Amino acid sequence: GTSEIIDYKTGAGKDEKDVKNEQLYIYQIAANEAFNPKLNPSKLSFYYLDDNSTVSFIGKQEDLDKFKEKIIMEIEEIRKNNFEPKPSPLCKFCDFRDICEYRTE
């Protein structure tokens, strides 16, 4: 009666403390709230293709609640057209980096 949600990643594996959980938290929330019947995941896993390693965890309800509140706040700011760019190392992958004044090198 449970499931595992796996997100396949390119690159080498990471330690659990270095993993960003938010992407899989979205999947866990959807599995619990958007699907009928609920998928009831018992494990969320990142599977790293370069070295065939896995990092697994499960979101605690308090973490999921905090994350949902963060998402709601971000949605409200977007609806108000009130969001600023947040430069990061990911800028180098953006299709708009050549014209963006906020890009990082």
Side-chain angles (χ1 to χ4, degrees), residues 10-90:
T10 58
K14 297 181 180 181
D15 291 330
E16 188 171 347
K17 63 181 172 49
D18 296 325
V19 170
K20 301 281 190 235
N21 298 344
E22 292 182 345
Q23 184 175 3
L24 282 175
Y25 281 174
I26 290 172
Y27 301 156
Q28 183 179 351
I29 292 166
N32 286 330
E33 297 181 10
F35 290 96
N36 189 13
K38 294 180 181 182
L39 296 179
N40 298 319
S42 60
K43 190 187 322 185
L44 307 174
S45 299
F46 286 112
Y47 182 87
Y48 296 94
L49 299 172
D50 277 8
D51 59 8
N52 294 319
S53 65
T54 304
V55 174
S56 298
F57 57 93
I58 190 69
K60 297 177 184 143
Q61 191 60 50
E62 67 184 57
D63 295 329
L64 297 174
D65 290 342
K66 284 182 196 175
F67 184 62
K68 282 172 45 175
E69 186 61 34
K70 177 184 172 186
I71 291 171
I72 290 168
M73 289 173 50
E74 289 178 3
I75 290 169
E76 289 172 358
E77 291 301 309
I78 290 169
R79 285 183 174 155
K80 293 185 229 175
N81 290 323
N82 184 19
F83 53 96
E84 295 295 321
K86 296 177 185 170
S88 79
L90 297 176

